[in-house]
Amino acid sequence: YIGQALTASAIYSAVDSIKRRTELRGWTPHTLRHTYVTLQRRAGVPIDVISNLVTHANLQTTVGIYSHLSVEDLRDELVRAGAWETVA
């Protein structure tokens, strides 16, 4: 129905259909959820806002499990916070 939230089974069904047609394997809707959290962190969105958006009850879930930041990402966060100086 237009305007209503999709059910989990409808989402997984749509993803399975996309994967069959495109032959892209190795991802799930849950993979996209992890990707969304990581991209929001890289964009500088506050972690409490991200946690709320993905409806985690515990902030540590968002930080420890869903955020897949590289060393460069972490360095960029420290620079942005003023806790790390860049070397020219």
Side-chain angles (χ1 to χ4, degrees), residues 2-79:
I2 296 174
Q4 293 183 343
L6 292 170
T7 64
S9 63
I11 293 169
Y12 275 86
S13 178
V15 166
D16 286 342
S17 175
I18 291 167
K19 287 162 67 171
R20 274 193 308 277
R21 289 184 318 217
T22 63
E23 298 184 12
L24 292 173
R25 305 283 188 255
W27 63 279
T28 67
H30 197 77
T31 306
L32 297 178
R33 186 172 162 89
H34 283 256
T35 302
Y36 174 77
V37 169
T38 300
L39 292 174
Q40 295 306 302
R41 293 279 318 267
R42 286 181 180 158
V45 176
I47 194 67
D48 57 321
V49 172
I50 299 168
S51 187
N52 193 328
L53 287 170
V54 295
T55 65
H56 286 155
N58 186 331
L59 192 66
Q60 275 310 115
T61 301
T62 311
V63 173
I65 298 172
Y66 279 74
S67 297
H68 303 285
L69 300 178
S70 67
V71 171
E72 291 79 17
D73 293 324
L74 297 172
R75 187 179 302 118
D76 290 345
E77 281 196 23
L78 289 171
V79 168

